[in-house]
Amino acid sequence: MQKKHVLFASALGVSFLNTVLAPAYGADTPTSQSQSQSQSQSQSPADQPQPQPHAPSPQPVVGKAGQAAATPAQTRAQAQAAHAQAQTGQQPASYFAGGTPPDPTQYLPPPPKPGSLRHQTDDTAFATTRGWKNDARWALAASDARLHLPDLLNSFSCAAGFTIDASKTPRLVALLRKMGSTEVPDMWKGKDYWHRARPFVGTENAICTEEEREEIAKTGSYPSGHTMLGWSLALVLTEILPDRSTAILQRGRVFGESRIVCGVHWESDVQSGYLVGAGEVAAMHGNPAFRADLDAARAELQALRNTAPKPDAKQCEIEHDAAVHSPL
């Protein structure tokens, strides 16, 4: 199968942005960066077989003290190597450098146990959304899987009320890159600690990024990295554009829900991703450098909104419909 990468983790379309976040963006798909070095085309939903009946959720591997086993060293080493291979420039320093980052393994609840009421809710959400495969919501979920900076920023254009062009927002891009360097290691800590199996593992059900099926099956599902990054961006944009806060936060919620629709995360993974994103941004606010970078991005984006074109009306309708019909 030809690999059509989710495009936020690699070629950014603007030359100075090609120093992309190697581990930072592409949080749920550690090898996707290198795959996309030569793949710049956007992903479009492809015809896929009808989803099979949902199979029982796979049991997690249990280690000491009932904890899920850590990611095998070989798999983790491969993921780290892929990150390094994809990196084309020096990674920006963390806002937590020299400090103490929030530890999701301590403040998050553990993922639901198979057979629990919470896990039944997870199963129901996964099974229900398999029937959305040919809908516009499925296509939006595939689009939201692209952690390519221009795509990610543009995905919030309807919420912002104007087109957010990454090539015209270098300070915002720099802020997001450093945020990624800061929060993604904490997200990986949670994934490695619990190493929860993703919902499609052990089934033949369709997911919206079939080209990544084999690779993401190797990585932990809890918490959702895409959700963390999308919610973090929503919080930052809310501070920059407070008059658009309702629409921006709504879009951040939908962005996370796309991971459920896509079939690559459980509902509880996404809910934990919101918590991690909020926790990381809150902690970053304690750093004067973060606040200064946020102020610079605010001035830049406020100036852009006066000249930027309006977002595509049809796309805005699709996003609004997704917000109304939540899978949660």
Side-chain angles (χ1 to χ4, degrees), residues 90-310:
Q90 185 176 2
Q91 193 72 5
S94 167
Y95 284 117
F96 295 152
T100 303
D103 185 349
T105 68
Q106 300 301 308
Y107 67 79
L108 286 180
K113 295 180 179 180
S116 67
L117 182 61
R118 289 179 64 215
H119 207 297
Q120 291 175 26
T121 301
D122 280 351
D123 275 325
T124 298
F126 177 73
T128 299
T129 51
R130 292 318 84 213
W132 298 6
K133 185 173 68 72
N134 296 317
D135 295 349
R137 185 63 183 91
W138 183 275
L140 179 62
S143 177
D144 284 347
R146 301 176 187 133
L147 293 183
H148 176 238
L149 268 168
D151 288 330
L152 181 70
L153 286 172
N154 187 59
S155 70
F156 280 82
S157 291
C158 291
F162 62 94
T163 300
I164 305 178
D165 186 343
S167 68
K168 298 179 180 178
T169 57
R171 292 184 182 275
L172 177 58
V173 166
L175 172 69
L176 294 178
R177 293 187 67 244
K178 193 167 182 178
M179 284 175 60
S181 293
T182 302
E183 59 188 344
V184 165
D186 298 334
M187 176 274 299
W188 271 114
K189 186 174 184 179
K191 283 184 179 290
D192 287 350
Y193 182 76
W194 284 295
H195 197 55
R196 186 188 194 189
R198 292 177 184 266
F200 65 84
V201 174
T203 81
E204 296 182 358
N205 288 280
I207 62 175
C208 78
T209 53
E210 287 289 345
E211 72 284 354
E212 295 182 335
R213 190 182 191 99
E214 181 178 353
E215 293 301 331
I216 62 176
K218 301 174 185 176
T219 62
S221 191
Y222 187 91
S224 166
H226 275 69
T227 302
M228 176 194 72
L229 293 168
W231 191 245
S232 297
L233 175 56
L235 294 177
V236 165
L237 291 178
T238 293
E239 288 199 56
I240 294 174
L241 305 168
D243 58 306
R244 302 290 301 180
S245 60
T246 298
I248 290 169
L249 292 171
Q250 183 185 72
R251 183 66 178 100
R253 187 254 296 174
V254 168
F255 192 89
E257 291 175 353
S258 284
R259 305 307 285 163
I260 302 170
V261 175
C262 197
V264 295
H265 275 292
W266 303 103
E267 177 179 318
S268 54
D269 299 339
V270 168
Q271 292 170 334
S272 69
Y274 296 136
L275 288 174
V276 176
E280 294 288 322
V281 172
M284 280 185 265
H285 271 84
N287 187 315
F290 172 80
R291 298 195 300 270
D293 291 345
L294 181 61
D295 287 341
R298 178 183 293 108
E300 179 181 72
L301 203 58
Q302 288 285 4
L304 178 64
R305 75 184 304 183
N306 295 325
T307 59
K310 295 294 183 181

